[in-house]
Amino acid sequence: MADVILSQDDVDDIGDIGEEELTSSEYAPTEEVLSPLETLQHLASNGNVFDSQTAVHAILDTLRAVQSSESHDEYTEVIDIFYKLSSDSEPLVRVELMDALPHVARFCDETWGMPRCILPIVVQYLHDANSQVRKTCHQSLLLLLEYELISKSELENEVCPVIVQLANPENVDEFRTEAATLIGRLASFAGRELTENVFLPEFTRMCTDALFHVRKVCATNFGEITSVISRESTEEYLLQKFYYLCEDGVWGVRKACAECFMQVSCAVSPAIRRRDLAPLFISLICDQSRWVRMAAFQALGPFISTFADCNTTGLLYNEKTGEFSISSQAHSKLQTLQTLNSTCSDSASVSNATTPPGESKRSENIQEADDSTNEEVKNSISSQVDLRDNSAISSGAETALNFLDSSGELSENSSSSKAYEQFNAFNYWRTPLTEVELDSVVETTSVLNSHKEKAKSEEEEEEDHITIDPIFDEDPSHGRKRYLQYLYLENSGEDSLGTLIFNHSNDTKRDNMAGDDGAPLRYIDDYSDWSSMPDSQRDVKEESTIHQEQIPQSLLEKFTSMTQVQLAQTVDTEIAKHCAYSLPAVAYTLGRGNWRCLKYTYETLASDMQWKVRRTLAFSIHDLAVILGDEITSVDLVPIFNGFLKDLDEVRVGVLKHLYDFLKLLPVPQRREYLPRLKEFLSTDNIRNWRFRWELAEQCILLCELFTASEVSEHIVPVAMMLAVDKVADVRCMTYKLLGVILRSLRDEERLLQGFVNDLIEGLALSYRWTGRHAFAVLCQHLLQEDGLQDAASLERFAKDFLPSLLALGSDSVPNIRLALARTLTQSVLPIDYMTSTQNPHCDDVLRIFQALQADKDSDVKYFANLPSGAVPLCVSRELV
């Protein structure tokens, strides 16, 4: 037995010795012994794919370790390892290296300077055999340019030649496609001169490449190129290529053209935009492919916005602030036109009062012609007023300005009548109206009715030669025919694509598309007789035919037709949402004087069944109110605004988010009507939607400056009191700011101010709910810190009204309230000298309560009470608020 014990002791001794030796040598991890650089060398030299990837990931950490040692030799060795890894045969390693390359280059540039091997690696990987490596290289190249680690000369001399080589027609398809993508992305970094000299020739050639993938990429990046090069180069070299791409046989190419149409429109002159691009865009809207039509309708509003001209609309847009304004010159012009409108209305009322009963119908027809004539006259006068302001008015224009007398009516003397006939746009641009006797019209009515069907059939036979189906045309080359046909009609005096006759009787595909009731879908242009047209479409037709000169009439007609149910069924279910999104931009382009062109469209969208459409309008109604002005807003937008207030929460939040921006545009009496409705925002469909109440508190802060002290006290204060005890901390934090703003608003009204203070004390400090008392403590902290009550009068008022109720919370039974009081005293009350001086009548109570809190039985309360003054900022975690 003793031998056994002796043997066991010997084994224990041997084991102790062996454990020390093994701990110091064999079982010690290698990484703990090796330095970061040695570890990197070990991983890079193994030749294993996994180790090589790990080495790439460790490059940046190794550089940081080398930076601390300030050894330039070690830095050079790390860069050498990085360069050797770039020649690894495994694509996964090269992809990882390209991902890490921009970050490594940026770190080295900030410390030692940009390594020379970085750019050669990028250039080498641009034509790598693996597609994933090339795509990663493209992203790294763009990041290097964004970080400004590659100079313009390096880009021109080393990168651009490789891209031009990749774009060679003899290269493989993938390389040409990637070259087109790179040209579009690098254009903004290369600048105008380099793009025009190096990239533009290759880009124009690739626009007609035999591979449709290359043409599609060129169409996608067309807007990027046109935004960089000059207008002259765009119109001379790229515009014809863009026409070619818009008529491409592949629908994906045409769709890409529709998506970048606005950028191309911004890069050309207004004349080309109106003469060439507008008809070309109509051909895309009438394309045979549904996807092209969908993209074209989505881009219609942005394209129309490129016709905006502040010189004619009088509206100015500040890109920095995002605000609209009206120029003083346009304001005076609008006043003149409003005077003319009122004068014409008065004259019309007098004329109607003295018209015999038998002449009523004829008078209505004459009145319609006079209204359009007066509108043309006023537009002509307005343009001449602009010329007079620019000291470029001609003698003929001066004569035209004299045909209005002091009362605004047309003068009856010979000179004014001559000027009227000379400058009347109604007579100049249209065929003069023939004089027709009413008796002859009655006699020939029956004859016309009898020959109506015969004339209609003959007209259809004659027009079959130019019949075009813009949607179901199977031949892609017909796009060019549609474009030329539209130009022919434009040059012939027609201003609408509605003059094109769509043949529906012989088209079986059109007949197969039917609505819910089984009837074939019809378009506005399908109705030759307005009496058979549905009411909604008749209103759209009447609205779109109102004369305006800001944008091509055909574009306006297509935009107003986006509210039709047929387009939602055949093109895009969300086409009405795109129309609502772009409507403020279109209204800005048309100007206030042409709001009647969009009024019915806006009302139709406001009553759309989809809440997303109404939500879009609700979020932009304040911008539209700025564009239209006070008078139109009060008449046309206020009823729609009232409807949004009763809508779903998803729609109401759009109105609430910009409630201040909209109400400040209304007259004061009309603005006051919305004060009692503020309480309606407190009730939501989902009580968990706390962001709705947060927005309400934020808007009430802004609304305080729009109303008087009595109105704030009567309507905003009750809302603020309810929000002050909200269950969500973020809502309460925003409400504390609101309460501080209300105190400043009532500062000049002693009676209202004292009543509000009493409400705060009774509703919060003396509340039976602990959340109310807690809110009072945090409110006092906010008033002292955020509102900056540092003057003697404000501090005396705070000590008189709030401090006694605040100190009374020191004996509260709820620990959270005492904790909030301790934080308020430590961070806001004690740092103010007045609070602890003899001038404060409650200074002894402040010190006594503070000492009691320092010895509180709750550890958290004791912790905050013993913190140094000012140690914790006001924004301490919201969990305590």
Side-chain angles (χ1 to χ4, degrees), residues 226-237:
T226 56
S227 62
V228 175
I229 65 177
S230 62
R231 174 180 295 181
E232 293 76 12
S233 300
T234 299
E235 296 176 355
E236 182 178 357
Y237 300 106

Side-chain angles (χ1 to χ4, degrees), residues 688-706:
R688 295 182 178 179
N689 188 8
W690 60 268
R691 291 180 178 85
F692 203 90
R693 301 188 298 274
W694 187 91
E695 290 287 352
L696 176 60
E698 186 180 34
Q699 288 298 311
C700 286
I701 294 175
L702 301 173
L703 291 175
C704 288
E705 67 181 52
L706 297 181

